[in-house]
Amino acid sequence: MKEILYVLPALACPVGMGLMMWFMMRSGGKKTTPQDAPADPRQQELDGLRQEIDGLRAKLDRPAPAAQERTP
């Protein structure tokens, strides 16, 4: 009977690890992020940069105002 008490702590680690792996595999198929989660920050920054580029291109496409002559 005393030998069993010595073996139990040695088995606790592998059995516990096996249980954790089993629980993780069970929950692996479920999505944990809600559908209305905020978009990826990198994607938001990319969208902002694209809008800025579009604005700058629109500025370049407009005719420049008449340049006033400078008198030295």
Side-chain angles (χ1 to χ4, degrees), residues 6-32:
Y6 291 120
V7 174
L8 284 178
L11 290 177
C13 183
V15 170
M17 187 64 74
L19 285 172
M20 282 191 282
M21 288 174 56
W22 182 70
F23 283 121
M24 289 174 68
M25 285 190 321
R26 266 186 66 206
S27 66
K30 299 177 186 175
K31 289 190 176 187
T32 56

Side-chain angles (χ1 to χ4, degrees), residues 4-60:
I4 292 175
L5 293 177
Y6 291 120
V7 174
L8 284 178
L11 290 177
C13 183
V15 170
M17 187 64 74
L19 285 172
M20 282 191 282
M21 288 174 56
W22 182 70
F23 283 121
M24 289 174 68
M25 285 190 321
R26 266 186 66 206
S27 66
K30 299 177 186 175
K31 289 190 176 187
T32 56
T33 57
Q35 294 297 330
D36 8 313
D40 185 15
R42 295 176 292 179
Q43 185 64 39
Q44 290 177 344
E45 184 176 358
L46 185 61
D47 292 340
L49 290 172
R50 284 183 178 151
Q51 288 176 353
E52 185 176 348
I53 289 171
D54 290 341
L56 291 172
R57 283 184 181 156
K59 255 187 193 178
L60 287 174

